[in-house]
Amino acid sequence: MSECIFCRIVRGEIPCRKVYEDEDMLAFHDINPWAPVHVLIIPKQHIVSLATADASNQAVLGKILARTGDIARSQGLNDGFRTVINSGRIGNQEVYHLHLHILGGPEPLGGSLKPMTKK
Ligand code: AMP
Ligand code: ZN
């Protein structure tokens, strides 16, 4: 069994505040939000990173992007949002299970959301 924290969330071994789920993907609130609304969307399948993804991952990655607007609106983000995918060492990726951050709130977002002190 994978020790990956997001695989464990998919299996229900670690709780999450779920906002959307289907057979291929899961969306839940980030535990340490960078913005008033901060949701993560992950593929249920363990894909390490956008840096390693390939054509075999095309369907689920397309599906995640195609559902992003609906998931954002379900959280009240009716006037836009930001998406971020951190990839690999240079991207400061911390969890090596591909995830898309949805960030938003009532006011326009600032320029740099992720604290620079986070390695
Ligand atoms: P990244 O730096 O792009 O890899 O982002 C990883 C994100 O996962 C961070 O924003 C963390 O706060 C978030 N995170 C880590 N563990 C959990 C968890 N158990 N539930 C929800 N979010 C988490
Ligand atoms: Zn995983």
Side-chain angles (χ1 to χ4, degrees):
M1 276 295 191
S2 168
E3 291 306 306
C4 165
I5 189 164
F6 287 173
C7 284
R8 296 192 66 194
I9 288 175
V10 168
R11 294 198 299 266
E13 296 168 7
I14 295 176
C16 72
R17 289 171 57 215
K18 190 182 298 182
V19 302
Y20 176 83
E21 180 173 20
D22 66 27
E23 64 277 21
D24 300 312
M25 55 190 269
L26 178 65
F28 53 92
H29 290 279
D30 195 291
I31 206 168
N32 185 21
W34 317 341
V37 176
H38 187 170
V39 168
L40 302 176
I41 309 181
I42 67 171
K44 287 191 169 177
Q45 173 197 358
H46 183 83
I47 300 172
V48 169
S49 167
L50 204 56
T52 60
D54 62 23
S56 71
N57 307 123
Q58 183 171 320
V60 71
L61 294 179
K63 184 173 177 179
I64 285 172
L65 288 182
R67 297 283 194 284
T68 294
D70 279 347
I71 292 171
R73 278 186 294 278
S74 80
Q75 300 307 304
L77 303 180
N78 295 307
D79 200 18
F81 51 85
R82 181 175 297 161
T83 50
V84 173
I85 302 177
N86 293 316
S87 303
R89 181 178 69 88
I90 298 299
N92 281 343
Q93 184 175 359
E94 291 184 353
V95 177
Y96 277 79
H97 179 134
L98 195 157
H99 50 282
L100 177 142
H101 299 258
I102 299 177
L103 301 153
E107 303 296 333
L109 298 167
S112 175
L113 282 166
K114 194 163 185 176
M116 298 299 287
T117 51
K118 251 177 141 179
K119 94 170 151 51

